[in-house]
Amino acid sequence: MYKRDISKSVIASVKDDDKLRALQEVMEYSNFFDNLDESFKKSGKDKNTFTIVIKPNFMVFLTKKDPSSYTDPELIDFLVGKLLERGYTRIYVVESQNVLGKWYTNRDVKTVALACGYKSKNYNLIDLTLDAIPHKFNGQLGQHYIGKTWKEADYRISFAKNKTHPANKYTLATKNIFGVTTCENKYYEYHKLREWDTTTIDILKEFPVHFGFIDAFISADGAFGF
């Protein structure tokens, strides 16, 4: 186990043959629930109206034979279960469509989620591409769109997959937030017309992530992390 304090935040890395036990230990060592409870108290809401949104990474999924390219749904289920145990009930899991939808059929978020194992009824699954509303960003992104669920969340969690990426070098908790961009053709919109990095930073500045997890139980190195 590796643990390091940074101001009030704690970075924790746990190696274990049991992925759920590893996640449990990470939540404990990183003071995750202290962080969550503090945000809840500051919100002034009750737990039935306090909205928690989790952003995994699964939209490059192609086959369950290769689980290295997407956030393990069992880890998401485990995290959601722990949130429910503490009385948090308004939980959303979000993703957005990407350029693979231009090449293949049935690439909407709910179809891909079901294919790779996101089947729990303990959270609401949201396709941010279908959830998009206009928003004026202060940075270079300017007048654009953002998922309504992501915008209105009280607590945002990035649950990334540990993998490399041909354009972005690697995918971790920050890069994972690029995936909340709502346009399907992300290559054209955010690599050609705009810059993917400034786009991600603009989103993070206005809709900050409160906590980050990284699924590195099975990791990937290669084109798109395959």
Side-chain angles (χ1 to χ4, degrees):
M1 188 276 290
Y2 167 78
K3 179 179 179 180
R4 182 160 67 99
D5 291 312
I6 297 182
S7 184
K8 291 184 179 180
S9 300
V10 177
I11 296 174
S13 176
V14 172
K15 184 176 182 180
D16 197 301
D17 292 335
D18 186 317
K19 61 187 177 184
L20 301 184
R21 185 169 58 213
L23 179 54
Q24 175 67 43
E25 292 179 2
V26 164
M27 288 191 286
E28 293 171 359
Y29 292 138
S30 64
N31 300 327
F32 166 64
F33 284 110
D34 289 342
N35 183 282
L36 173 60
D37 291 342
E38 182 178 354
S39 292
F40 167 66
K41 291 176 183 177
K42 289 180 179 179
S43 73
K45 295 185 175 183
D46 59 51
K47 288 188 175 180
N48 291 325
T49 58
F50 183 81
T51 304
I52 300 173
V53 177
I54 305 168
K55 167 61 175 71
N57 186 318
F58 60 75
M59 284 304 290
V60 296
F61 166 85
L62 290 179
T63 172
K64 292 190 77 170
K65 294 179 180 179
D66 179 11
S68 67
S69 65
Y70 58 94
T71 306
D72 189 334
E74 292 184 9
L75 295 178
I76 299 297
D77 289 345
F78 185 81
L79 172 59
V80 170
K82 294 301 178 181
L83 294 172
L84 291 172
E85 287 178 7
R86 297 180 73 92
Y88 295 101
T89 59
R90 198 175 179 86
I91 305 169
Y92 295 85
V93 171
V94 302
E95 258 281 28
S96 69
Q97 298 177 38
N98 61 23
V99 72
L100 292 180
K102 296 293 184 183
W103 306 331
Y104 304 105
T105 58
N106 300 320
R107 292 299 303 188
D108 61 278
V109 168
K110 290 189 176 181
T111 300
V112 176
L114 184 63
C116 60
Y118 285 79
K119 302 175 182 179
S120 175
K121 296 181 180 179
N122 290 329
Y123 53 76
N124 293 298
L125 182 67
I126 300 295
D127 185 332
L128 294 176
T129 300
L130 304 180
D131 194 44
I133 58 173
H135 180 78
K136 179 66 167 65
F137 288 87
N138 292 322
Q140 296 184 37
L141 193 53
Q143 185 63 49
H144 199 57
Y145 301 90
I146 191 70
K148 185 174 184 289
T149 304
W150 188 256
K151 178 178 181 177
E152 296 180 353
D154 296 301
Y155 194 86
R156 303 179 188 90
I157 299 172
S158 176
F159 206 133
K161 185 67 177 180
N162 187 43
K163 59 185 179 179
T164 55
H165 190 284
N168 312 119
K169 308 306 180 186
Y170 52 83
T171 297
L172 295 174
T174 299
K175 164 60 177 66
N176 186 40
I177 301 308
F178 175 71
V180 307
T181 53
T182 58
C183 294
E184 179 190 40
N185 194 341
K186 288 177 171 41
Y187 181 80
Y188 178 74
E189 292 288 344
Y190 309 114
H191 286 262
K192 186 174 182 180
L193 296 183
R194 303 172 180 85
E195 297 293 336
W196 69 269
D197 51 356
T198 55
T199 292
T200 304
I201 296 303
D202 284 351
I203 292 173
L204 283 167
K205 283 181 176 179
E206 297 200 31
F207 308 108
V209 169
H210 298 84
F211 212 89
F213 292 101
I214 300 170
D215 171 14
F217 193 74
I218 299 176
S219 302
D221 181 20
F224 287 100
F226 299 144

